[in-house]
Amino acid sequence: MKYYDKLIFELSKEGRTGYTLPENGIAEYSIKDIPSDLGRAQEAELPEVSELDVARHYTNVSNMNFGVETGFYPLGSCTMKYNPKINDEISGLPAFTSLHPFQSEDSIQGALEVYYNLAKSLSEISGLAEYTLNPYAGSHGELVGLMIMRQYHMKRGDTKRTKVIVPDSAHGTNPASAAVCGLEIVEVKSNDKGTINVADLEPLLDDTIAGIMMTNPNTLGIFETEILEIAKLVHDAGGLLYYDGANLNPLLGKCRPGDMGFDIMHINLHKTFSTPHGGGGPGSGPVGVCAKLVDYLPNPRVKKDDDRFYLENGENSLGSISSFLGNFSVYLRAYVYILTLGKEKLKYVGPLATLNANYIKESLKDYYYLPIEGLCKHEFVFDGLLDKSTGVTTLDVAKRLLDYGFHAPTIYFPLLFHQSIMIEPVETESLDTLDSFIEIMKKVAIEAKEDPETVKNAPYSTPVRRLDETTAAKKPLIKYKD
Ligand SMILES: *Cc1c(COP(=O)(O)O)cnc(C)c1O
């Protein structure tokens, strides 16, 4: 039985789908198969409005939004680069958008080719043997990668390895994914240069360690120069190295996590490879592994035999971790981006992003406190204003920037400093934009000294003023009418 047919069959046996598998193998959907207790109890309350009212509503709502195409968006750790229009145009072609997940392999050869070629490009870019594109997000990729790490040790009968080392500078998703995967977290502290000391790591490496999760450059934008030694130590102790690829942008075409000794990694297509993100998706977090781990990759895998592409389920695989082949429209955008730039131009991405970050850092360090001096990669962190006497906090600075038309940087992350302002300008911004941002950041620092109340009560120009952010996130008002 083919993979999808088997899946439908399994799900329908459990009563989890309205699909039934007829004799001819073509799945059909019938509304009567939906359990009656899932039906609506009363009519939906929908507004009776004209097309013009609908158009106005959405135009006004979109005008309240802020995106990369509204203004500068220096959100650290998020790589808010421009998403070229050509990517959307190609991913919107009816040949792709009208594909149905239950089509036969023979009728989706083109789509499978895109999947296969994109996975191959990611292998070449990162130095890992094979990729699955199936995970839906970076954090989902982390979970899948850690499941592979566990599976590897379990299959070898090395069942004691239940701990994973995570640096204190790590993105919050790292320890969260490890916990979801059932691994115990062992923290390793950063030194005053913002990197990991080999001497601090060594005593932690025993036969209970499954591996280490790192990103390089780390979340402070600092390159871990001792990575080769770290990799050797972890491998010698029987552990594996996981690379959080959210920071791959500065490395593109320059160096590869696989060559540094990493065994497993995820890539955020919605960061490094210019596909849109924010608002919860759709994202994509492909996971790559070194040769000895390919058998554990999730199902299905896309393979090639002469000129034909096909799906295969591996015997030692983790199983399925997403429906069908994941977020396909995201793959198209990333694939177009890679093909548009090509091998040579991809090599400019990292250096330009790095130059932009260092330019802003050096221009502002007389106004904001720079805890770690020296060259950064694609991003860096200030610890609040240089002048601490004003009482103006990082939150106040972030809110004031909104009045000047800039998206705020990432604030209060990483947790190593109390007033973190994390700035990542990316490579797609012009010198003019960087200069206007620098000018406004200076202006806010001067305002903080001369007129702190103005900064503390900002913003003034946004549709809403300061919100209780927890309530706003937990209880969003999404009704069209009260
Ligand atoms: C964004 C990010 C993640 C998580 O990726 P999502 O796609 O948002 O789940 C993990 N680590 C780092 C360093 C990140 O910047």
Side-chain angles (χ1 to χ4, degrees), residues 75-79 136-142 169-174 177 215 217-219 244-247 266-271 277 283-285 378-379 413 422 424:
L75 200 62
S77 208
C78 292
T79 314
Y136 291 129
S139 42
H140 191 200
E142 289 171 26
S169 64
H171 194 265
T173 51
N174 290 191
S177 303
T215 185
N218 60 31
T219 59
D244 175 341
N247 291 350
H266 81 262
I267 290 176
N268 303 58
L269 294 187
H270 45 288
K271 292 180 182 170
H277 64 307
S284 177
H378 62 309
E379 63 192 358
F413 174 77
M422 186 190 205
E424 180 184 5

Side-chain angles (χ1 to χ4, degrees), residues 362-378:
E362 292 304 312
S363 308
L364 289 177
K365 68 179 189 182
D366 292 340
Y367 296 80
Y368 294 85
Y369 179 60
L370 182 66
I372 297 172
E373 286 275 355
L375 265 189
C376 63
K377 291 287 178 277
H378 62 309

Side-chain angles (χ1 to χ4, degrees), residues 15 57 123 194 223 277 307 322 346 348 388 399 417 432 437:
H57 171 74
S123 279
F223 194 83
H277 64 307
D307 277 338
S322 62
L346 269 182
Y348 286 98
K388 302 286 182 210
K399 295 291 181 194
F417 312 114
D432 276 351
F437 176 70

